[in-house]
Amino acid sequence: MTLNRRRFLATSAAATGALALPTMALGQSGPIRMGSVLDVSGIFSAYGEPMDMAQRLAVAEINADGGLLGREVEIVGFDTQSDMALYTQFAQRLVRQERVDVVQGGILSASREAIRQTLRRAETLYFYNVQYEGGVCDRNVFINGVTPAQQAEVLVPWAMSQSGPRVYILAADYNYGQITARWLQKYVGDNGGETVGVDFFPLDVADFGSTIARIQTVSPDLVIAPLVGGAHLSFFRQWAASGMNERIPLASTTMGVGNEHRVLTPEEGNGIMVAYNYAQELDTPANNAFKEAWAAAYGDTSLIHEIAVSHYMGVKLWAEGVRQAGTTERMPVIEALEDNLSIEGPSGVMTIDPQTHHATLDVHLMRFENQEMALVESLSQRPPVDTQAVCDLIANPDENTQFEIEI
Amino acid sequence: MDLSVVILIEVLYAIASLALISAGLAVVFGMMKVINLAHGEFMVLGGYATITAVGLGVNIFIAMLIIAPIVVGLFGLVVERLVFRHLYGRMIDTMLASWGLSLMMIGGFKMIFGNTTTGVAGPIPGFSVGNYQVNGYNLFVIVVSVLLLVAMVAVLRGTRFGLVARGTMQRSDMAAAMGHSPDRVYMTTFALGSALAGLAGGVMAPLVGLVPTAGAAFIAKAFITVIAGGPVLVAGLASAAGTFGLVNQVFSFLVSPVVGDVALLVAAVVLLRLIPRGITSRFFRGRI
């Protein structure tokens, strides 16, 4: 027999197909594969490690309930080691080699943008479950973290009512801080206040002495500080050390997200005003059950923070989407989620907003007291109005951008 | 009037903190010519020593002024015996070795203290100057720094050890011929330089959120200060810290902390262009 090119291709293709058949059949009945990329080590591990614990807990609970569609769920997780370059690498691997059904994860906005296009091109559903600056408009992505408007809209008027109309803003100098500062200014203006100063700080600035003196020269009624990371924690220390915490009230959109309020002493932290979707101190049956399950799995519940719970909710949202769709295929799951899909969990009811693929969720106004968050007021079901202003996936399903929201 | 007092305190504090974080490096690099890239990690070790001691119930002043220098000084002693003594006179090799050491130390901190932010609260309450509140701890840093510089002058100039150390750094063969063991002198000097880094780390601990990688924030400023200071140890330290601290704070206050850091670096570049061998190669020559 002569083996020409055409015949070789035909037979080898047939052989490959035959070999692939059993694995494909196996894929349908084997476990459902949930990919995850999280910074479990490195400088962001304080965020990533509890997120990883939360997703393992969520998946264990799903499997204990008999899995999804009668199949087990298995986590294919990679530790991105707080290195943005590894995100792209592991995302490629998840879609090419591991062929997962969904990807959950990403912590910093930079990491999300590093993998979002890869996952979109590979038609792999993606859940990003972290508080962020808002504006992502992509039908392949679901985001359940709090956006600036959801926080600022309620935090600003409350904090101003506790202090006064003249507000000074100190923000981290990257996209999150810049955009959040703009939202804060908008809501300060909307509530009849005045922004008397805005300063931005790179993430490695740790000396705020001159800033604290500058703030005093304009003597505002309130300081709002969306500062990020370990170096910026110094601000809260130095603010208290100069006795300013007795004089000018402080509010923040980030302080406490990674349990930073447990690092500050009670004297340094007391009185700081925040607004989050979750706090360990929420006394609801769902949250108490969640904390019990966490304690049973890991012992110590002190690591639980807002982002970990968001991530847990992200996994549960996806699981509910799969149940409703009756399949793990991407488009049916997206459509099921877009049908105002709603679940209840430790952070209350969370509903997918079909127009933006963001979440409508509860926001709680809280004040730090003795390293805990004391609940002041709960506001239920806040829609992501910032992203809604720019993003309409119902009208433009092919949209694929992160809008910088003009205010 | 009140404002100018506040700004004066901030400027003095900036100068004092620069001098403090650079003092250990001035001894190890300025005197001994060991490029210690692990200087920042030595400081972080001092910070962790302070925080751990405070956690064990030790008085915070004892923790940062005594325990931190002793811990880091002993650590420096061990490292000098194991690594640096084999590398004297080989500047580039010390750089590589100390860089490796700094990576190892960061890894060690992560394993022992966890990859998170820790800290202690400042022990001194704020006070008011007219209508302004000032961080009381800033004054403490200024006092510590002044005492430190005075003590360094006293030791280098007034004691026999200071004389021998200075002589050994200039001509170790002559020092050896006079009956002093250069090996001993180097060992002691390195340990003392490390202890100064530990002191700086301990004193800075209540001001910052300490993370295992915090050393990187200090190392560049420390090297710039020591290099710009030039060959004379204490006068160089004081004059370079004075120049940079003033420039940094004035711009921080007028514009923002970012511009303040930029101004510091620009000042360093201009200064080194005009006086490549440092301030004290032209002024204060022959002093200490």
Side-chain angles (χ1 to χ4, degrees):
Chain A
M1 185 177 99
T2 57
L3 191 64
N4 63 23
R5 191 176 56 152
R6 195 165 291 169
R7 182 172 294 167
F8 171 75
L9 279 176
T11 48
S12 60
T16 317
L19 278 173
L21 262 179
T23 52
M24 279 162 76
L26 205 76
Q28 287 303 321
S29 61
I32 295 174
R33 294 160 70 78
M34 182 184 102
S36 120
V37 270
L38 290 172
D39 300 314
V40 182
S41 61
I43 54 173
F44 306 125
S45 65
Y47 300 127
E49 212 181 331
M51 289 172 80
D52 179 55
M53 293 159 88
Q55 76 180 7
R56 281 188 278 133
L57 181 63
V59 167
E61 285 176 3
I62 292 167
N63 286 335
D65 277 353
L68 287 179
L69 316 174
R71 292 161 65 191
E72 283 243 314
V73 179
E74 138 190 305
I75 301 176
V76 184
F78 288 105
D79 174 11
T80 34
Q81 301 162 31
S82 306
D83 179 354
M84 293 306 134
L86 287 178
Y87 269 96
T88 4
Q89 192 181 320
F90 287 139
Q92 300 269 9
R93 188 151 159 203
L94 281 174
V95 296
R96 296 240 172 90
Q97 277 167 268
E98 307 288 346
R99 295 183 176 277
V100 293
D101 298 293
V102 63
V103 172
Q104 300 261 359
I107 301 180
L108 264 67
S109 288
S111 64
R112 177 197 66 239
E113 291 308 304
I115 63 177
R116 190 164 65 82
Q117 300 302 339
T118 305
L119 298 175
R120 183 184 166 92
R121 242 189 337 260
E123 304 197 335
T124 305
L125 191 57
Y126 175 37
F127 279 74
Y128 174 70
N129 309 312
V130 180
Q131 173 199 26
Y132 88 116
E133 66 280 358
V136 167
C137 195
D138 178 346
R139 203 165 171 224
N140 190 48
V141 181
F142 286 89
I143 297 177
N144 72 1
V146 182
T147 58
Q150 283 170 317
Q151 265 185 316
E153 192 185 13
V154 293
L155 179 65
V156 169
W158 173 57
M160 281 169 66
S161 75
Q162 301 291 309
S163 51
R166 303 178 72 242
V167 179
Y168 203 106
I169 298 170
L170 307 171
D173 196 5
Y174 72 110
N175 60 358
Y176 172 76
Q178 298 270 2
I179 294 173
T180 304
R182 260 185 264 156
W183 278 102
L184 290 171
Q185 288 179 64
K186 171 183 152 58
Y187 286 114
V188 168
D190 288 358
N191 288 286
E194 181 196 357
T195 306
V196 291
V198 184
D199 280 335
F200 293 102
F201 303 91
L203 293 170
D204 59 350
V205 170
D207 184 2
F208 292 87
S210 61
T211 307
I212 291 173
R214 245 157 79 93
I215 293 173
Q216 296 186 56
T217 62
V218 292
S219 61
D221 300 317
L222 170 70
V223 173
I224 306 183
L227 297 169
V228 176
H232 285 181
L233 201 61
S234 319
F235 168 75
F236 299 92
R237 285 240 140 84
Q238 291 165 18
W239 181 258
S242 57
M244 290 302 297
N245 53 348
E246 308 283 330
R247 293 190 155 203
I248 302 178
L250 202 59
S252 173
T253 59
T254 46
M255 182 73 208
V257 164
N259 278 340
E260 292 90 347
H261 57 297
R262 290 170 196 274
V263 179
L264 295 182
T265 62
E267 297 77 44
E268 289 170 335
N270 280 353
I272 297 177
M273 295 175 272
V274 295
Y276 296 119
N277 173 231
Y278 176 81
Q280 282 196 33
E281 288 78 11
L282 291 179
D283 188 19
T284 62
N287 187 33
N288 292 333
F290 171 75
K291 284 195 290 187
E292 269 170 38
W294 185 290
Y298 306 115
D300 179 17
T301 56
S302 70
L303 285 175
I304 303 174
H305 52 51
E306 190 207 40
I307 310 180
V309 173
S310 272
H311 197 63
Y312 173 89
M313 295 291 277
V315 175
K316 289 290 178 89
L317 275 169
W318 163 75
E320 191 54 35
V322 170
R323 269 190 215 112
Q324 300 288 335
T327 169
T328 59
E329 270 176 58
R330 185 178 78 121
M331 276 324 287
V333 175
I334 289 179
E335 277 155 16
L337 287 160
E338 280 174 345
D339 194 18
N340 288 307
L341 188 126
S342 182
I343 62 166
E344 195 181 346
S347 58
V349 174
M350 199 174 258
T351 309
I352 301 275
D353 171 46
Q355 184 193 331
T356 57
H357 280 203
H358 284 54
T360 299
L361 38 76
D362 294 346
V363 178
H364 308 282
L365 296 174
M366 293 172 286
R367 206 193 275 275
F368 289 175
E369 261 169 36
N370 295 322
Q371 302 186 308
E372 294 196 342
M373 296 195 194
L375 186 67
V376 176
E377 193 184 349
S378 293
L379 298 139
S380 68
Q381 301 302 296
R382 314 298 303 182
V385 290
D386 42 10
T387 313
Q388 280 174 345
V390 289
C391 174
D392 189 350
L393 288 167
I394 301 169
N396 311 304
D398 293 329
E399 196 79 74
N400 176 21
T401 36
Q402 178 175 12
F403 290 102
E404 280 210 24
I405 302 160
E406 297 290 328
I407 300 163
Chain B
M1 176 56 210
D2 299 339
L3 181 62
S4 47
V5 172
V6 171
I7 295 176
L8 181 69
I9 293 176
E10 287 297 332
V11 169
L12 286 178
Y13 162 72
I15 294 171
S17 63
L18 269 183
L20 193 60
I21 63 176
S22 312
L25 193 70
V27 171
V28 170
F29 174 59
M31 273 178 83
M32 302 176 67
K33 304 292 173 234
V34 170
I35 302 183
N36 184 11
L37 288 181
H39 177 70
E41 281 66 39
F42 279 40
M43 285 182 60
V44 175
L45 181 64
Y48 277 121
T50 305
I51 290 171
T52 310
V54 170
L56 293 175
V58 179
N59 177 289
I60 183 164
F61 290 104
I62 295 175
M64 61 193 180
L65 297 177
I66 298 172
I67 294 181
I70 290 178
V71 168
V72 183
L74 289 177
F75 180 78
L77 187 71
V78 172
V79 171
E80 197 270 348
R81 284 293 95 184
L82 291 177
V83 183
F84 289 107
R85 79 181 159 118
H86 304 291
L87 301 172
Y88 288 130
R90 292 154 58 186
M91 234 189 203
I92 303 297
D93 297 352
T94 62
M95 192 163 110
L96 198 62
S98 61
W99 187 49
L101 181 67
S102 93
L103 294 179
M104 251 172 64
M105 288 177 76
I106 292 173
F109 295 147
K110 284 182 183 171
M111 279 162 62
I112 299 167
F113 301 103
N115 202 345
T116 51
T117 316
T118 46
V120 284
I124 299 174
F127 62 93
S128 39
V129 178
N131 288 323
Y132 292 91
Q133 283 291 127
V134 178
N135 187 344
Y137 198 76
N138 288 5
L139 284 185
F140 175 72
V141 173
I142 295 170
V143 171
V144 169
S145 191
V146 169
L147 290 180
L148 178 69
L149 292 186
V150 170
M152 280 170 79
V153 173
V155 169
L156 287 172
R157 212 155 148 189
T159 65
R160 184 152 184 85
F161 171 75
L163 186 71
V164 172
R166 281 188 293 150
T168 311
M169 298 312 152
Q170 283 182 8
R171 284 294 298 271
S172 61
D173 50 350
M174 278 307 286
M178 309 276 280
H180 300 285
S181 158
D183 188 55
R184 266 296 154 73
V185 176
Y186 275 121
M187 181 181 85
T188 317
T189 314
F190 191 91
L192 284 177
S194 308
L196 290 179
L199 175 72
V203 171
M204 300 308 276
L207 285 169
V208 296
L210 203 62
V211 286
T213 50
F218 302 118
I219 185 106
K221 279 183 186 167
F223 266 104
I224 290 169
T225 308
V226 173
I227 291 171
V232 183
L233 192 67
V234 180
L237 198 58
S239 56
T243 313
F244 294 146
L246 181 67
V247 169
N248 179 291
Q249 282 302 303
V250 166
F251 280 90
S252 291
F253 189 76
L254 291 179
V255 195
S256 77
V258 185
V259 177
D261 276 350
V262 172
L264 189 157
L265 295 176
V266 170
V269 170
V270 171
L271 195 74
L272 289 176
R273 175 67 190 83
L274 296 177
I275 328 176
R277 300 199 47 224
I279 297 172
T280 51
S281 67
R282 185 158 307 168
F283 308 101
F284 312 107
R285 289 174 66 169
R287 305 285 185 83
I288 291 173

PDB file of all heavy atoms in Angstrom, chain A residues 290-306:
ATOM      1  N   PHE A 290     -22.734  29.081  58.146  1.00  0.00           N
ATOM      2  CA  PHE A 290     -21.495  29.139  57.375  1.00  0.00           C
ATOM      3  C   PHE A 290     -20.285  29.100  58.302  1.00  0.00           C
ATOM      4  O   PHE A 290     -19.328  28.351  58.082  1.00  0.00           O
ATOM      5  CB  PHE A 290     -21.486  30.427  56.535  1.00  0.00           C
ATOM      6  CG  PHE A 290     -20.188  30.721  55.853  1.00  0.00           C
ATOM      7  CD1 PHE A 290     -19.797  29.998  54.731  1.00  0.00           C
ATOM      8  CD2 PHE A 290     -19.340  31.723  56.321  1.00  0.00           C
ATOM      9  CE1 PHE A 290     -18.602  30.269  54.090  1.00  0.00           C
ATOM     10  CE2 PHE A 290     -18.147  32.000  55.696  1.00  0.00           C
ATOM     11  CZ  PHE A 290     -17.778  31.270  54.575  1.00  0.00           C
ATOM     12  N   LYS A 291     -20.346  29.878  59.375  1.00  0.00           N
ATOM     13  CA  LYS A 291     -19.201  29.913  60.295  1.00  0.00           C
ATOM     14  C   LYS A 291     -19.015  28.558  60.986  1.00  0.00           C
ATOM     15  O   LYS A 291     -17.884  28.132  61.221  1.00  0.00           O
ATOM     16  CB  LYS A 291     -19.380  31.031  61.329  1.00  0.00           C
ATOM     17  CG  LYS A 291     -19.106  32.407  60.734  1.00  0.00           C
ATOM     18  CD  LYS A 291     -18.915  33.477  61.801  1.00  0.00           C
ATOM     19  CE  LYS A 291     -20.193  33.788  62.519  1.00  0.00           C
ATOM     20  NZ  LYS A 291     -20.050  34.941  63.430  1.00  0.00           N
ATOM     21  N   GLU A 292     -20.136  27.896  61.282  1.00  0.00           N
ATOM     22  CA  GLU A 292     -20.029  26.564  61.889  1.00  0.00           C
ATOM     23  C   GLU A 292     -19.378  25.579  60.928  1.00  0.00           C
ATOM     24  O   GLU A 292     -18.515  24.784  61.302  1.00  0.00           O
ATOM     25  CB  GLU A 292     -21.413  26.040  62.285  1.00  0.00           C
ATOM     26  CG  GLU A 292     -21.795  26.400  63.707  1.00  0.00           C
ATOM     27  CD  GLU A 292     -23.260  26.075  63.980  1.00  0.00           C
ATOM     28  OE1 GLU A 292     -23.738  25.027  63.472  1.00  0.00           O
ATOM     29  OE2 GLU A 292     -23.914  26.879  64.663  1.00  0.00           O
ATOM     30  N   ALA A 293     -19.812  25.643  59.658  1.00  0.00           N
ATOM     31  CA  ALA A 293     -19.234  24.733  58.659  1.00  0.00           C
ATOM     32  C   ALA A 293     -17.744  25.018  58.498  1.00  0.00           C
ATOM     33  O   ALA A 293     -16.930  24.099  58.373  1.00  0.00           O
ATOM     34  CB  ALA A 293     -19.957  24.904  57.322  1.00  0.00           C
ATOM     35  N   TRP A 294     -17.396  26.304  58.497  1.00  0.00           N
ATOM     36  CA  TRP A 294     -15.984  26.692  58.370  1.00  0.00           C
ATOM     37  C   TRP A 294     -15.192  26.155  59.561  1.00  0.00           C
ATOM     38  O   TRP A 294     -14.112  25.589  59.412  1.00  0.00           O
ATOM     39  CB  TRP A 294     -15.877  28.215  58.283  1.00  0.00           C
ATOM     40  CG  TRP A 294     -14.479  28.722  58.032  1.00  0.00           C
ATOM     41  CD1 TRP A 294     -13.428  28.689  58.893  1.00  0.00           C
ATOM     42  CD2 TRP A 294     -13.989  29.336  56.827  1.00  0.00           C
ATOM     43  NE1 TRP A 294     -12.317  29.243  58.321  1.00  0.00           N
ATOM     44  CE2 TRP A 294     -12.631  29.645  57.053  1.00  0.00           C
ATOM     45  CE3 TRP A 294     -14.563  29.663  55.602  1.00  0.00           C
ATOM     46  CZ2 TRP A 294     -11.843  30.265  56.090  1.00  0.00           C
ATOM     47  CZ3 TRP A 294     -13.775  30.281  54.644  1.00  0.00           C
ATOM     48  CH2 TRP A 294     -12.431  30.570  54.878  1.00  0.00           C
ATOM     49  N   ALA A 295     -15.757  26.338  60.759  1.00  0.00           N
ATOM     50  CA  ALA A 295     -15.066  25.873  61.958  1.00  0.00           C
ATOM     51  C   ALA A 295     -14.889  24.361  61.919  1.00  0.00           C
ATOM     52  O   ALA A 295     -13.851  23.834  62.318  1.00  0.00           O
ATOM     53  CB  ALA A 295     -15.853  26.297  63.202  1.00  0.00           C
ATOM     54  N   ALA A 296     -15.904  23.653  61.416  1.00  0.00           N
ATOM     55  CA  ALA A 296     -15.796  22.188  61.338  1.00  0.00           C
ATOM     56  C   ALA A 296     -14.715  21.777  60.355  1.00  0.00           C
ATOM     57  O   ALA A 296     -14.019  20.781  60.552  1.00  0.00           O
ATOM     58  CB  ALA A 296     -17.145  21.596  60.928  1.00  0.00           C
ATOM     59  N   ALA A 297     -14.552  22.568  59.283  1.00  0.00           N
ATOM     60  CA  ALA A 297     -13.573  22.189  58.257  1.00  0.00           C
ATOM     61  C   ALA A 297     -12.170  22.630  58.624  1.00  0.00           C
ATOM     62  O   ALA A 297     -11.198  21.914  58.398  1.00  0.00           O
ATOM     63  CB  ALA A 297     -13.982  22.799  56.912  1.00  0.00           C
ATOM     64  N   TYR A 298     -12.039  23.846  59.182  1.00  0.00           N
ATOM     65  CA  TYR A 298     -10.701  24.407  59.376  1.00  0.00           C
ATOM     66  C   TYR A 298     -10.393  24.779  60.822  1.00  0.00           C
ATOM     67  O   TYR A 298      -9.290  25.202  61.133  1.00  0.00           O
ATOM     68  CB  TYR A 298     -10.530  25.668  58.513  1.00  0.00           C
ATOM     69  CG  TYR A 298     -10.829  25.448  57.053  1.00  0.00           C
ATOM     70  CD1 TYR A 298     -11.904  26.080  56.443  1.00  0.00           C
ATOM     71  CD2 TYR A 298     -10.037  24.592  56.281  1.00  0.00           C
ATOM     72  CE1 TYR A 298     -12.184  25.889  55.107  1.00  0.00           C
ATOM     73  CE2 TYR A 298     -10.310  24.381  54.949  1.00  0.00           C
ATOM     74  CZ  TYR A 298     -11.394  25.026  54.359  1.00  0.00           C
ATOM     75  OH  TYR A 298     -11.667  24.818  53.038  1.00  0.00           O
ATOM     76  N   GLY A 299     -11.372  24.694  61.708  1.00  0.00           N
ATOM     77  CA  GLY A 299     -11.110  25.076  63.090  1.00  0.00           C
ATOM     78  C   GLY A 299     -11.300  26.564  63.336  1.00  0.00           C
ATOM     79  O   GLY A 299     -12.333  26.988  63.817  1.00  0.00           O
ATOM     80  N   ASP A 300     -10.306  27.317  62.940  1.00  0.00           N
ATOM     81  CA  ASP A 300     -10.273  28.735  63.277  1.00  0.00           C
ATOM     82  C   ASP A 300     -11.076  29.562  62.272  1.00  0.00           C
ATOM     83  O   ASP A 300     -10.816  29.525  61.072  1.00  0.00           O
ATOM     84  CB  ASP A 300      -8.797  29.161  63.264  1.00  0.00           C
ATOM     85  CG  ASP A 300      -8.644  30.622  63.586  1.00  0.00           C
ATOM     86  OD1 ASP A 300      -9.599  31.207  64.123  1.00  0.00           O
ATOM     87  OD2 ASP A 300      -7.561  31.151  63.295  1.00  0.00           O
ATOM     88  N   THR A 301     -12.044  30.355  62.768  1.00  0.00           N
ATOM     89  CA  THR A 301     -12.842  31.158  61.831  1.00  0.00           C
ATOM     90  C   THR A 301     -12.297  32.574  61.668  1.00  0.00           C
ATOM     91  O   THR A 301     -12.853  33.356  60.914  1.00  0.00           O
ATOM     92  CB  THR A 301     -14.302  31.296  62.319  1.00  0.00           C
ATOM     93  OG1 THR A 301     -14.273  31.846  63.634  1.00  0.00           O
ATOM     94  CG2 THR A 301     -15.016  29.973  62.327  1.00  0.00           C
ATOM     95  N   SER A 302     -11.197  32.884  62.332  1.00  0.00           N
ATOM     96  CA  SER A 302     -10.766  34.285  62.318  1.00  0.00           C
ATOM     97  C   SER A 302     -10.308  34.746  60.934  1.00  0.00           C
ATOM     98  O   SER A 302     -10.225  35.935  60.670  1.00  0.00           O
ATOM     99  CB  SER A 302      -9.637  34.495  63.328  1.00  0.00           C
ATOM    100  OG  SER A 302      -8.469  33.847  62.873  1.00  0.00           O
ATOM    101  N   LEU A 303      -9.995  33.791  60.041  1.00  0.00           N
ATOM    102  CA  LEU A 303      -9.507  34.185  58.712  1.00  0.00           C
ATOM    103  C   LEU A 303     -10.609  34.637  57.763  1.00  0.00           C
ATOM    104  O   LEU A 303     -10.333  35.246  56.736  1.00  0.00           O
ATOM    105  CB  LEU A 303      -8.757  33.012  58.056  1.00  0.00           C
ATOM    106  CG  LEU A 303      -7.354  32.709  58.577  1.00  0.00           C
ATOM    107  CD1 LEU A 303      -6.809  31.463  57.910  1.00  0.00           C
ATOM    108  CD2 LEU A 303      -6.423  33.876  58.329  1.00  0.00           C
ATOM    109  N   ILE A 304     -11.860  34.325  58.087  1.00  0.00           N
ATOM    110  CA  ILE A 304     -12.946  34.649  57.152  1.00  0.00           C
ATOM    111  C   ILE A 304     -13.002  36.156  56.913  1.00  0.00           C
ATOM    112  O   ILE A 304     -12.998  36.934  57.864  1.00  0.00           O
ATOM    113  CB  ILE A 304     -14.310  34.205  57.730  1.00  0.00           C
ATOM    114  CG1 ILE A 304     -14.288  32.712  58.037  1.00  0.00           C
ATOM    115  CG2 ILE A 304     -15.438  34.535  56.764  1.00  0.00           C
ATOM    116  CD1 ILE A 304     -15.543  32.239  58.740  1.00  0.00           C
ATOM    117  N   HIS A 305     -13.018  36.583  55.654  1.00  0.00           N
ATOM    118  CA  HIS A 305     -13.219  37.995  55.361  1.00  0.00           C
ATOM    119  C   HIS A 305     -14.176  38.152  54.180  1.00  0.00           C
ATOM    120  O   HIS A 305     -14.633  37.172  53.595  1.00  0.00           O
ATOM    121  CB  HIS A 305     -11.904  38.732  55.144  1.00  0.00           C
ATOM    122  CG  HIS A 305     -10.980  38.117  54.137  1.00  0.00           C
ATOM    123  ND1 HIS A 305     -11.385  37.764  52.871  1.00  0.00           N
ATOM    124  CD2 HIS A 305      -9.672  37.799  54.218  1.00  0.00           C
ATOM    125  CE1 HIS A 305     -10.347  37.278  52.226  1.00  0.00           C
ATOM    126  NE2 HIS A 305      -9.307  37.268  53.021  1.00  0.00           N
ATOM    127  N   GLU A 306     -14.476  39.411  53.842  1.00  0.00           N
ATOM    128  CA  GLU A 306     -15.510  39.665  52.851  1.00  0.00           C
ATOM    129  C   GLU A 306     -15.222  38.981  51.514  1.00  0.00           C
ATOM    130  O   GLU A 306     -16.094  38.384  50.900  1.00  0.00           O
ATOM    131  CB  GLU A 306     -15.682  41.166  52.625  1.00  0.00           C
ATOM    132  CG  GLU A 306     -16.921  41.462  51.789  1.00  0.00           C
ATOM    133  CD  GLU A 306     -16.831  42.749  50.991  1.00  0.00           C
ATOM    134  OE1 GLU A 306     -15.751  43.040  50.450  1.00  0.00           O
ATOM    135  OE2 GLU A 306     -17.840  43.447  50.900  1.00  0.00           O
TER     136      GLU A 306
END
